């Protein structure tokens, strides 16, 4: 097994595209968080695709509209994806686990 959950992507991709995990940047509003995320994704050569960013935002709306159980399920999938990596597992320790507890 490669340790990569295909549904959530590789630990590298998740960590680089997440503004919180890569730059410790959080938005004060949903709009500013979306702008930070779009900017981050559009500056990486591998992912420069506005349509992809828009689809991710639509997916996020679906997760959030599903309520706490949907959000927790997504966070646990992310936790599983990051835990197998020798460096990115630290994101679990610092962020993802705390978000799971908070939800």
């Amino acid at each position: 097994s490669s340790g990569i959950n295909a549904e959530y992507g590789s630990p590298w991709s998740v960590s680089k595209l997440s503004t919180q995990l890569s730059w410790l940047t959080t938005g004060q509003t949903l709009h500013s968080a979306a702008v930070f995320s779009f900017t981050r994704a559009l500056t990486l050569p591998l992912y420069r695709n506005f349509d992809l960013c828009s689809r991710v935002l639509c997916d996020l709306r679906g997760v959030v509209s599903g309520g706490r159980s949907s959000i927790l399920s997504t966070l646990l999938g992310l936790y599983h994806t990051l835990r197998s990596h020798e460096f990115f597992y630290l994101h679990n320790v610092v962020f993802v686990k705390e978000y799971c507890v908070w939800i």
Side-chain angles (χ1 to χ4, degrees):
S1 171
S2 66
I4 295 174
N5 184 337
E7 185 175 352
Y8 296 92
S10 74
W12 182 90
S13 296
V14 169
S15 297
K16 293 301 175 189
L17 291 173
S18 167
T19 57
Q20 176 68 41
L21 298 179
S22 62
W23 286 97
L24 304 176
T25 303
T26 58
Q28 297 300 318
T29 65
L30 291 176
H31 180 265
S32 65
V35 169
F36 287 147
S37 296
F38 271 55
T39 302
R40 180 84 184 139
L42 293 173
T43 58
L44 293 172
L46 183 60
Y47 297 104
R48 283 188 187 146
N49 187 321
F50 189 82
D51 290 336
L52 177 61
C53 291
S54 298
R55 287 182 188 176
V56 169
L57 186 59
C58 287
D59 285 350
L60 177 61
R61 285 184 188 129
V63 168
V64 171
S65 69
R68 286 183 178 208
S69 63
S70 177
I71 295 168
L72 183 58
S73 175
T74 302
L75 285 172
L76 290 174
L78 176 61
Y79 184 89
H80 176 72
T81 298
L82 295 175
R83 78 175 178 185
S84 61
H85 194 274
E86 63 187 88
F87 172 72
F88 295 122
Y89 81 92
L90 292 172
H91 293 319
N92 280 340
V93 174
V94 177
F95 297 108
V96 180
K97 186 176 178 182
E98 296 299 319
Y99 290 148
C100 289
V101 170
W102 182 72
I103 286 291

